[in-house]
Every structure is written in structure tokens, then in C-alpha cells.
């Protein structure tokens, strides 16, 4: 054969070998419907007297793989059939070029036997002679079947590519009362499936590729015709939109190409342009309606939170597919690991006014919180107490390390009833709620009380709440909106109160609570430089117990500052019978060191003089020799009980004239007029009713300090020059003019001539103005001034 003829033959064969149509169906439903269909499929059960015959296509057009899927569908249907001689009988015929009886309806009497025989069926292969199979049934009836009084159901599983006419024999079967279902497999011809199926067609045409859905559709139709019944009265046959897709391979003209043609036995060749085509697959969508049985499922209550997907695992079981952010927690609850080191005591109202329902809500809240927050990386410990007239610590803080054990312990927590004495409970929680907490000072974790109540207190709460806060307890409140006002009094701040309006809203507060437990106070003045001196009244008029409350207050304030040589320096002066520098501004270079030193400050006793203490600060503390830094804002906070302040107004003004801000915190029934004189401007005085209330005024104190830290600074106040040198402002900086025997940027170096006069110079040195060692200058990190 000439080469050009061979090329033409090959092209024709290649083009003709592409199948003209590849239909495909896909049924699309929502995840919710899929879940309900899945539940219904597991509950369906047909226990009526009925003969069911599978007519299964075993031709080459179906193929062995699709035939195996047909068998899987048949087995799925059998799972819901009560197979026994008096109820459901099942038989099977495989057809291709000719029909072959696999087993008659009366061959097996149990579901296990029928399913095993279906599994053993062997693919035949051959042509798709559906019409011959239907005529076989018309001639012989259902093999092994009963009389016509028993309903007959024929399930044809085929790709619908019959090589004969099927409409007439199918019509004759249906006229005899046979209910015909057609189930598409592989790439079926839907037109043929519709001509085979009983009316209404949309209820009798199914797709074997989705075995569970198809089985559900089959039993939904049977239940509608009263042949079988649904699984439960709550289950209903409902229509829902379906989407069938057909994948078709279409032929498109791609262009023209030269081709050659000739006659056999001659050498004549005719050249011409012949069309050539390309093939591509195209999806066509056909909206329709499916009828499926849906039953109430475990996902109806939407148990999966935060966008999780509920997947049913039976009538009453499910699991949640969670977004990654929620770590696969139970029901996709928030994964809110408490990474801060904190001891949390939940205090639950268990009084009659709180009601048993409110108490159960509070317990459920705590359970969810610990499941979300106490992960493997958590550094938190949790305890639980309940109260009515008395506080009972049911779960001591840190007793349970395992979350499951902690949750189980809450199940047995009883409801008490009785009065609602919230104030009494708060005082008892502060005194005994945390037991003997490990460590002390900085080694002790932060402690928090989370009060959960839906009832107003029957006793006074402000005093006990202040008592708890004075012991460095963080108080947080969780309750209904109508108890917000009382919770704000208890916690001291509106932002520490979480409220809800409905029972479900309470669980929305869990992430907010986690944030408040781990949100440490921000540094008081952030990156603002500051030299800060606390001056505490340690006289006999204050007493050791009140002095201890002063120390606690100072520690809370110090936590708000970033202590280091470049930002905030803190010093402490105490006064009573004498004045003592507990530690200088440049002694402690970290917040932790300052907190320890504040705890160790001595109580002096005796009769104190605030004026003498302020002069001490002027001469020996707020100086370059005392660690004060040139060009850094400076402030003194005086905390006093009011005794011994009569002589303090002039020294306080002397400090202000030297560039040092002074704030006075007066506690108790102090001498008002003397305090006003000491305070100077009216905004530099804070009056506190009792020492236990100091913590209520912490924010006002910090606000004042930070405002003073932002004031413009005079680089020569206080003077950075020592040894009686004079500070002179010069071009935005300063320089020191030294007296005869001294030299250097700050007059800190003695000249040779000065060494000869050492004895005389030393005798004239004023107190508090001793020679300055270069290492103690405490200069800020900015370019220093030039010497004169």
C-alpha cells in the first residue's frame, strides 16, 4: 500500500476510535443533607413480604471495575433487607449477550448467604443485550418467586447501552405490576434508563456510583408506595435539588491539511485539502430533584463550634472536622492555652437566688474553659470553690494535673442553696482560697479569682473586694447583665467584668476570660525615661501592718514600669525616727530586683518628719552622686499617714524648683491643710480613705507619674555638676564650670594643685556633695557635653 494511503487509514482509525459520548452523573447535596441521609441509611429496614430481583449488566461496555461497583451497590441494598423465606427474598441475574441466572429468589434464606453469593459473582463480558434479559423475565417470571400477591421489585443495574430495543419489554413488565428501578453505572445513557424505569422517573432512576445515596433513594421510593416502611416516625421522605452532570466528548473542526488520494493500479495522485478534527470533553449540567429519606441526626444541634464540620457516625454519634487553629479539640472548642503562669480560683454562686440552673451553667463554663485552656503547654493551675452562706473549696488550686480528672471532679459538685453572701466569700477566698501557695514574692505565680454569679449579694461587697485586691489578687467577674454594676464594684474596673444575656452567650466569654488572665499590665510609661523615688512613712503613727500595705502598693506600682538603666530607675527612702535610703536609684537594675528590695524595706517606728526626709532626697538621692541621671525627668511619690508633714512644704517646693515633681498620697484622717501645702498644685495630691484602699488609686498615681515624665527637662536641674561646679546650658546641652581645684566634664577630677590643698578642701565639702566617681555618674545614653 502506498505510504500516503496508509497515513489516511491511520488518521481515520484514530478519529473513529474516540468514543462520541462519555456521560457522567454526579449528585450534589449539602453537607447537612449528606449527614441526615447517612443517618437514615443506617436506620432503614425493610421487613415486608417482597421479591427483589437484581438484573445486573455484565457486558464489556460496563467493564469489570464497574461490575464490582454494581455488586457493592447490591450488597448495600441487602444490608437493609429482612431476608428470610416469609419476608424478603432476593435473587440475581447477570446479562450480557445472554442472560444467566446467578441464584433464584428461593435459593438463600439469610442476609449473610445472599451477600456472600453476590460477592462470588464473576464478570461475564459480551454484548449489552438488555432486551433479551427482559424477554427472559417476561417468559419465565421471577425465578423462585412467589405468586402475584407478593410485590415484585426489579433493580436493573446497567450503563444503558443496549443493542436492542428495550422500551416495549420494559413496558410489558411494568404492566404486570413489576416495580422497575434503573441504576446507572459507568457512563450510562440516561435516556434508556428513563425508558426502563417506573413512573415517576425521578424516583426510580438512581446512580450506583454513590451506593449509600442510591440505596436511600430506592427505599425512600418503596416506603412511599407502602411496600416498605421508614425506620422511624421522625424520618421523612423529602425532595431536595440534585445536579446530574454528563461528560461528553465532542468533535470540533480544527482546520484543513493536505491529503493525497489515488486509484489502485495507477500512479495518478490527486492532492487536496481535507478537514481534520480534535476531540475534547465537556461537562453538561442537568438540574433535577432527588427524593431521599432524612432522619434527625446527632449533627442537628450543630455541636461543632468555630466553623467545624460535623460528620455523623451513626444515629447518635459524630465527630468534628476542625479548622487548624482549633487543634482538633472536642467539638472544635477554642484552643486557648494559658501560657502565662497563673493560679485561677473559680468561685461559683451556689445560693438559692443563683438557682440550680445557673449553678449548672457555671459548672459547664468551667469545664469548657479548662478543656480549652489547660493544654500540655499551659503553665496555669485551676481550682474551684462554691458559696452560699459560706465558701467551700471543692477543688484546691493545682490538685488535678489531668484535665479529665478535673472535669470529672466537677460533675459531683453539689448545689447548696441558702443565702448569697458574696462579700463573705470574697474575703474567705482571699484568706484561704489558694492554700499555702508555693514560693513567695516573684516566685509565686499570679493569682486570680473568677467570680461567677447570677444573683446580687445579700451582704456588703466593696470592703471584702478591696481586701482581696490589696492582697494582689486579680478579681474578674462573670455574670448576667443585671449584676454588672455589683461586679464592677467587686473587680474595681468595668473591663474586668464579662456579662451575658442568654445561657448560650456565656460560652462566648471563654476567649475573653483567657485574654484577661494573661494580659499583664503594660509598663507605666512604656519607653519614657524616668528617675522615680518612693518615700514611705515608716513612723509609729502608721504602724507595721499599714506599712506592709504601703509596701504591697509600691510593688504593684513598680510592676508597671520597665526598670533598667536606660529607661526607669527606682529608689526608696523610708522615714520615721530617722531617715534611711533603703536603696539608691542606681542600685537595682531590673524590675525583679526592685520588687525584692521593696519587700525588704525596714519599718523604723519613732516620730517621723516628712520635711527632713524630703531634704535628704534633695541632698543625697536626687543627685548625680546618688545615681540620678542628667537630663532625665524626676519624680518623688510621698506616701504618708499625715503625721509629721507640717514642716514639709518648703523642702517639697525646693525639690520642685530643682526640676523634681512631687506627688503626695495621704492616707486616713490626715491634716488636710498641711497636705495641700506639701502637695503644691492641687493635682499633686491623692487622698485615700484607708490603707486597704491604696490599690484603688494605682491608676491615678501611674497616670500622674507618666504625665510628669513627659514634661520638658532642664538639663541643669538638678545640677549634674559636682564639687560645687556650676551647670551652664549651652547649645541644647550643658557644661560644668568647675571651682579651682576640680576639672572634668562634671568637675569630678581633682587637679594637681587640688591635691596640695586636699586637707583644706576636704574640710569645706558640704554634706551630700562628695567627690563623684566616674562609674557612678549614671549618664543617659546621649552625647555628653564638652568641657569648658
Amino acid at each position: 500500500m502506498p505510504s500516503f494511503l496508509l497515513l489516511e487509514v491511520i488518521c481515520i482509525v484514530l478519529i473513529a476510535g474516540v468514543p462520541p459520548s462519555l456521560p457522567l452523573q454526579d449528585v450534589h447535596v449539602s453537607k447537612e443533607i449528606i449527614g441526615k441521609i447517612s443517618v437514615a441509611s443506617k436506620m432503614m429496614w425493610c421487613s415486608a413480604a417482597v421479591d427483589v430481583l437484581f438484573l445486573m449488566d455484565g457486558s464489556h461496555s460496563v467493564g469489570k471495575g464497574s461490575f464490582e461497583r454494581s455488586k457493592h451497590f447490591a450488597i448495600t441494598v441487602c444490608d437493609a433487607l429482612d431476608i428470610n423465606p416469609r419476608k424478603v427474598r432476593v435473587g440475581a441475574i447477570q446479562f450480557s449477550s445472554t442472560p444467566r441466572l446467578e441464584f433464584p429468589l428461593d435459593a438463600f434464606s439469610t442476609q449473610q448467604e445472599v451477600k456472600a453469593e453476590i460477592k462470588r459473582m464473576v464478570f461475564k463480558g459480551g454484548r449489552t443485550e438488555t432486551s433479551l434479559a427482559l424477554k427472559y423475565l417476561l417468559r419465565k417470571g421471577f425465578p423462585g418467586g412467589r405468586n402475584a400477591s407478593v410485590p415484585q421489585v426489579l433493580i436493573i443495574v446497567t450503563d444503558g447501552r443496549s443493542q436492542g430495543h428495550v422500551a416495549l419489554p420494559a413496558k410489558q413488565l411494568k404492566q404486570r405490576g413489576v416495580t422497575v428501578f434503573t441504576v446507572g453505572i459507568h457512563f450510562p445513557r440516561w435516556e434508556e434508563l428513563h425508558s426502563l424505569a417506573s413512573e415517576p422517573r425521578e424516583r426510580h432512576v438512581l446512580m450506583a456510583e454513590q451506593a449509600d445515596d442510591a440505596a436511600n433513594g430506592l427505599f425512600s421510593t418503596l416506603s412511599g408506595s407502602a411496600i416498605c416502611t421508614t425506620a422511624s416516625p421522625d424520618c421523612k421522605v423529602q425532595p431536595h435539588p440534585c445536579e446530574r452532570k454528563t461528560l461528553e466528548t465532542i468533535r470540533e473542526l480544527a482546520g484543513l491539511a493536505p491529503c493525497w488520494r489515488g486509484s489502485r493500479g495507477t500512479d495518478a495522485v490527486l492532492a487536496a485539502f481535507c478537514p481534520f478534527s480534535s476531540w475534547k470533553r465537556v461537562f453538561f449540567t442537568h438540574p433535577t430533584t432527588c427524593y431521599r429519606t432524612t432522619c434527625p441526626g446527632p449533627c442537628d444541634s450543630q455541636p461543632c463550634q468555630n466553623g467545624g464540620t460535623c460528620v455523623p457516625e451513626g444515629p447518635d454519634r459524630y465527630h468534628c472536622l476542625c479548622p487548624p487553629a482549633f487543634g482538633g479539640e472536642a467539638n472544635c472548642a477554642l484552643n486557648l492555652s494559658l501560657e502565662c503562669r497563673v493560679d485561677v480560683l473559680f468561685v461559683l454562686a451556689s445560693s438559692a437566688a443563683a438557682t440550680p440552673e445557673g449553678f449548672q451553667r457555671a459548672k459547664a463554663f468551667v469545664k469548657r474553659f479548662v478543656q480549652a485552656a489547660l493544654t500540655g503547654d499551659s503553665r496555669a493551675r485551676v481550682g474551684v470553690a462554691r458559696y452560699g452562706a459560706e465558701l467551700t473549696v471543692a477543688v484546691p488550686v493545682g490538685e488535678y494535673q489531668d484535665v479529665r480528672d478535673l472535669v470529672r471532679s466537677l460533675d459531683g459538685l453539689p448545689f447548696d442553696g441558702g443565702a448569697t453572701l458574696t462579700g463573705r466569700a470574697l474575703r474567705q477566698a482571699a484568706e484561704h482560697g489558694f492554700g499555702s501557695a508555693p514560693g513567695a514574692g516573684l516566685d509565686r505565680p499570679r493569682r486570680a479569682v473568677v467570680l461567677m454569679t447570677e444573683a446580687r449579694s445579700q451582704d456588703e461587697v466593696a470592703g471584702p473586694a478591696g481586701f482581696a485586691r490589696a492582697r494582689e489578687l486579680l478579681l474578674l467577674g462573670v455574670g448576667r447583665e443585671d449584676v454588672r454594676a455589683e461586679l464592677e464594684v467587686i473587680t474595681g474596673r468595668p473591663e474586668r467584668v464579662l456579662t451575658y444575656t442568654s445561657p448560650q452567650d456565656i460560652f462566648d466569654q471563654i476567649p475573653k476570660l483567657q485574654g484577661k488572665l494573661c494580659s499583664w499590665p503594660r509598663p507605666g510609661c512604656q519607653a519614657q525615661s524616668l528617675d522615680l523615688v518612693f518615700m514611705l512613712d515608716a513612723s509609729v503613727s502608721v504602724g507595721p501592718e499599714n506599712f506592709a500595705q504601703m509596701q504591697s502598693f509600691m510593688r504593684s506600682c513598680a510592676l508597671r514600669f520597665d526598670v533598667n538603666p536606660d529607661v526607669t530607675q527606682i529608689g526608696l527612702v523610708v522615714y520615721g525616727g530617722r531617715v534611711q535610703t533603703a536603696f539608691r536609684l542606681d542600685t537595682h537594675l531590673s524590675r525583679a530586683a526592685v520588687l525584692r528590695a521593696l519587700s525588704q524595706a525596714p519599718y523604723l517606728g519613732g516620730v517621723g518628719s516628712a520635711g527632713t526626709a524630703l531634704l535628704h532626697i534633695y541632698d543625697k538621692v536626687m543627685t548625680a552622686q546618688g545615681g540620678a541621671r542628667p537630663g532625665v525627668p524626676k519624680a518623688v511619690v510621698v506616701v504618708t499617714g499625715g503625721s509629721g508633714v507640717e514642716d514639709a512644704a518648703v523642702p517639697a517646693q525646693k525639690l520642685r524648683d530643682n526640676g523634681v515633681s512631687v506627688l503626695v498620697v495621704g492616707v486616713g484622717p490626715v491634716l488636710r491643710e498641711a497636705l495641700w501645702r506639701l502637695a503644691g498644685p492641687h493635682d499633686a495630691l491623692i487622698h485615700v480613705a484607708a490603707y486597704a484602699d491604696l490599690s484603688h488609686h494605682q491608676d491615678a498615681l501611674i497616670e500622674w507619674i507618666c504625665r510628669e515624665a513627659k514634661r520638658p527637662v532642664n538639663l541643669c536641674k538638678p545640677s549634674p555638676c559636682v564639687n560645687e561646679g556650676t551647670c551652664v546650658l549651652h547649645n541644647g546641652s550643658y557644661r560644668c564650670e568647675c571651682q579651682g581645684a576640680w576639672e572634668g566634664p562634671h568637675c569630678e577630677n581633682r587637679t594637681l594643685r587640688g591635691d596640695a590643698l586636699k586637707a583644706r578642701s576636704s574640710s569645706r565639702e558640704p554634706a551630700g556633695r562628695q567627690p563623684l566617681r566616674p562609674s557612678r555618674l549614671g549618664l543617659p545614653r546621649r552625647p555628653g557635653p564638652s568641657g569648658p
Side-chain angles (χ1 to χ4, degrees):
M1 179 184 296
S3 59
F4 63 85
L5 292 179
L6 178 60
L7 176 62
E8 181 182 7
V9 170
I10 293 174
C11 291
I12 293 172
V13 170
L14 287 175
I15 294 174
V18 179
S21 178
L22 294 176
L24 179 66
Q25 178 196 351
D26 199 4
V27 179
H28 294 273
V29 294
S30 68
K31 293 179 180 178
E32 179 184 3
I33 294 295
I34 288 176
K36 295 191 174 196
I37 287 174
S38 176
V39 171
S41 298
K42 292 177 173 61
M43 297 177 65
M44 284 178 166
W45 183 247
C46 185
S47 186
V50 58
D51 287 348
V52 178
L53 180 66
F54 288 99
L55 187 61
M56 304 178 69
D57 189 343
S59 65
H60 286 309
S61 63
V62 167
K64 187 173 182 181
S66 293
F67 183 74
E68 292 299 319
R69 287 192 289 276
S70 300
K71 290 163 56 177
H72 172 69
F73 164 74
I75 290 171
T76 302
V77 171
C78 290
D79 285 333
L81 298 176
D82 183 12
I83 299 176
N84 68 68
R86 291 182 301 277
K87 295 290 185 179
V88 181
R89 294 185 182 183
V90 176
I93 293 175
Q94 181 182 174
F95 72 92
S96 54
S97 301
T98 57
R100 182 177 73 190
L101 178 64
E102 297 287 348
F103 57 93
L105 289 158
D106 56 357
F108 302 107
S109 57
T110 66
Q111 186 185 88
Q112 291 75 16
E113 291 175 328
V114 170
K115 290 166 63 176
E117 190 63 23
I118 292 174
K119 289 180 181 179
R120 284 193 288 267
M121 289 175 61
V122 178
F123 176 68
K124 284 182 60 178
R127 299 187 309 277
T128 310
E129 296 288 354
T130 312
S131 60
L132 292 181
L134 295 176
K135 292 174 182 177
Y136 174 87
L137 293 176
L138 287 171
R139 187 172 64 255
K140 294 191 174 183
F142 276 32
R146 288 164 282 191
N147 56 41
S149 63
V150 176
Q152 294 179 319
V153 177
L154 177 65
I155 303 174
I156 306 174
V157 187
T158 178
D159 64 354
R161 297 179 179 278
S162 176
Q163 293 168 348
H165 296 288
V166 298
L168 180 59
K171 180 180 179 181
Q172 293 172 338
L173 273 174
K174 288 180 280 187
Q175 288 174 343
R176 292 185 181 183
V178 177
T179 301
V180 180
F181 288 89
T182 55
V183 184
I185 194 69
H186 194 45
F187 298 111
R189 285 199 181 110
W190 294 106
E191 298 83 359
E192 183 171 313
L193 294 181
H194 279 79
S195 66
L196 289 168
S198 296
E199 296 283 352
R201 302 281 170 74
E202 65 272 12
R203 290 176 179 257
H204 291 81
V205 177
L206 306 167
M207 181 66 186
E209 304 285 351
Q210 299 165 335
D212 289 336
D213 177 74
N216 182 292
L218 186 147
F219 287 112
S220 298
T221 302
L222 291 179
S223 64
S225 61
I227 295 178
C228 296
T229 58
T230 55
S232 164
D234 295 329
C235 300
K236 298 178 180 178
V237 179
Q238 294 178 321
H240 62 81
C242 289
E243 195 174 80
R244 291 177 178 171
K245 291 183 179 180
T246 300
L247 177 63
E248 295 184 1
T249 302
I250 62 174
R251 181 176 180 176
E252 287 186 340
L253 179 64
L256 300 174
C259 59
W260 294 265
R261 296 176 181 174
S263 300
R264 182 183 297 274
T266 69
D267 294 330
V269 174
L270 175 63
F273 284 97
C274 301
F276 69 95
S277 302
S278 63
W279 299 87
K280 69 176 183 179
R281 293 185 176 185
V282 180
F283 273 109
F284 294 96
T285 301
H286 307 283
T288 184
T289 301
C290 293
Y291 291 83
R292 300 292 184 264
T293 299
T294 58
C295 297
C299 294
D300 285 2
S301 61
Q302 298 180 341
C304 302
Q305 307 169 42
N306 302 302
T309 301
C310 182
V311 180
E313 295 180 341
D316 55 1
R317 296 179 60 191
Y318 67 92
H319 71 272
C320 293
L321 300 177
C322 303
F326 302 98
E329 297 296 325
N331 290 354
C332 303
L334 287 174
N335 187 354
L336 300 170
S337 178
L338 284 170
E339 298 179 356
C340 58
R341 190 172 180 223
V342 60
D343 285 352
V344 185
L345 178 66
F346 285 93
V347 178
L348 315 183
S350 180
S351 62
T355 72
E357 294 79 11
F359 181 65
Q360 292 299 325
R361 278 193 290 273
K363 285 205 302 182
F365 178 92
V366 176
K367 288 180 183 179
R368 289 202 189 181
F369 179 85
V370 298
Q371 289 171 337
L374 299 187
T375 62
D377 298 332
S378 175
R379 301 170 61 199
R381 304 187 308 164
V382 171
V384 182
R386 69 183 193 278
Y387 76 93
E390 295 286 339
L391 182 80
T392 302
V393 179
V395 180
V397 173
E399 178 175 339
Y400 290 101
Q401 301 298 322
D402 185 85
V403 173
R404 288 172 297 182
D405 293 340
L406 175 57
V407 171
R408 279 195 292 268
S409 71
L410 296 177
D411 291 333
L413 200 61
F415 175 76
D416 290 331
T420 309
L421 302 184
T422 306
R424 183 184 184 92
L426 288 171
R427 184 173 290 273
Q428 292 174 339
E431 292 176 339
H432 313 297
F434 293 86
S436 55
L442 289 174
D443 295 328
R444 185 178 66 186
R446 192 185 195 193
R447 299 183 301 168
V449 172
V450 180
L451 175 67
M452 301 193 66
T453 180
E454 296 183 356
R456 292 185 177 89
S457 178
Q458 296 172 264
D459 63 349
E460 189 265 337
V461 296
F467 175 83
R469 292 197 302 268
R471 279 154 180 75
E472 300 183 27
L473 291 181
L474 171 65
L475 298 185
L476 299 171
V478 181
R480 284 191 176 275
E481 185 64 35
D482 52 6
V483 296
R484 172 183 280 278
E486 184 172 281
L487 290 176
E488 288 182 1
V489 172
I490 291 171
T491 61
R493 297 186 193 175
E495 62 268 21
R496 291 180 178 171
V497 176
L498 304 172
T499 59
Y500 52 92
T501 55
S502 68
Q504 185 59 35
D505 289 343
I506 186 175
F507 301 111
D508 297 335
Q509 311 307 315
I510 290 177
K512 300 177 184 177
L513 175 61
Q514 185 266 355
K516 294 183 184 299
L517 285 170
C518 283
S519 58
W520 295 90
R522 293 182 299 174
C525 302
Q526 300 181 10
Q528 188 72 33
S529 295
L530 177 67
D531 283 346
L532 176 63
V533 174
F534 292 116
M535 180 178 128
L536 302 187
D537 186 349
S539 66
V540 68
S541 64
V542 172
E545 292 185 359
N546 291 334
F547 181 73
Q549 296 207 49
M550 282 186 183
Q551 289 176 286
S552 175
F553 177 56
M554 290 300 100
R555 287 196 300 272
S556 298
C557 292
L559 280 170
R560 304 283 289 273
F561 294 94
D562 184 7
V563 179
N564 69 67
D566 296 321
V567 185
T568 301
Q569 290 189 156
I570 295 179
L572 176 64
V573 171
V574 294
Y575 71 96
R578 68 182 190 278
V579 179
Q580 179 178 335
T581 301
F583 53 89
R584 292 157 38 113
L585 284 164
D586 59 352
T587 300
H588 300 299
L589 307 182
S590 68
R591 184 192 299 147
V594 167
L595 293 174
R596 280 192 294 267
L598 284 170
S599 300
Q600 297 165 4
Y603 170 72
L604 301 178
V607 178
S609 169
T612 303
L614 288 169
L615 287 174
H616 174 83
I617 291 174
Y618 177 85
D619 286 332
K620 296 186 176 180
V621 179
M622 282 297 186
T623 64
Q625 305 100 303
R629 296 166 295 175
V632 173
K634 293 170 174 56
V636 174
V637 175
V638 180
V639 186
T640 176
S643 178
V645 299
E646 297 84 357
D647 63 346
V650 173
Q653 190 58 45
K654 190 175 181 179
L655 277 168
R656 292 190 184 97
D657 293 343
N658 207 30
V660 180
S661 301
V662 179
L663 174 71
V664 180
V665 181
V667 186
V670 295
L671 301 174
R672 291 290 186 121
E673 292 185 6
L675 280 181
W676 282 123
R677 288 195 298 272
L678 170 59
H682 289 180
D683 63 350
L685 174 64
I686 297 175
H687 183 256
V688 183
Y691 289 95
D693 296 333
L694 279 168
S695 61
H696 299 176
H697 301 273
Q698 177 179 316
D699 288 345
L701 172 61
I702 298 299
E703 181 181 352
W704 178 87
I705 293 174
C706 294
R707 186 170 63 246
E708 295 302 305
K710 295 176 182 177
R711 292 183 181 275
V713 176
N714 186 328
L715 297 178
C716 287
K717 289 185 177 183
S719 175
C721 307
V722 298
N723 301 313
E724 299 184 351
T726 301
C727 179
V728 179
L729 294 174
H730 178 69
N731 294 334
S733 184
Y734 67 89
R735 61 184 176 85
C736 291
E737 294 182 351
C738 304
Q739 299 297 319
W742 302 95
E743 65 180 8
H746 297 89
C747 305
E748 71 276 13
N749 299 324
R750 189 184 301 276
T751 65
L752 294 176
R753 182 168 58 86
D755 289 335
L757 302 174
K758 180 178 180 180
R760 185 174 62 182
S761 299
S762 297
S763 65
R764 292 201 302 267
E765 289 289 349
R769 300 291 180 180
Q770 300 300 317
L772 181 68
R773 299 192 305 272
S775 61
R776 308 301 290 176
L777 283 174
L779 297 177
R781 297 203 173 187
R782 62 173 70 187
S786 302

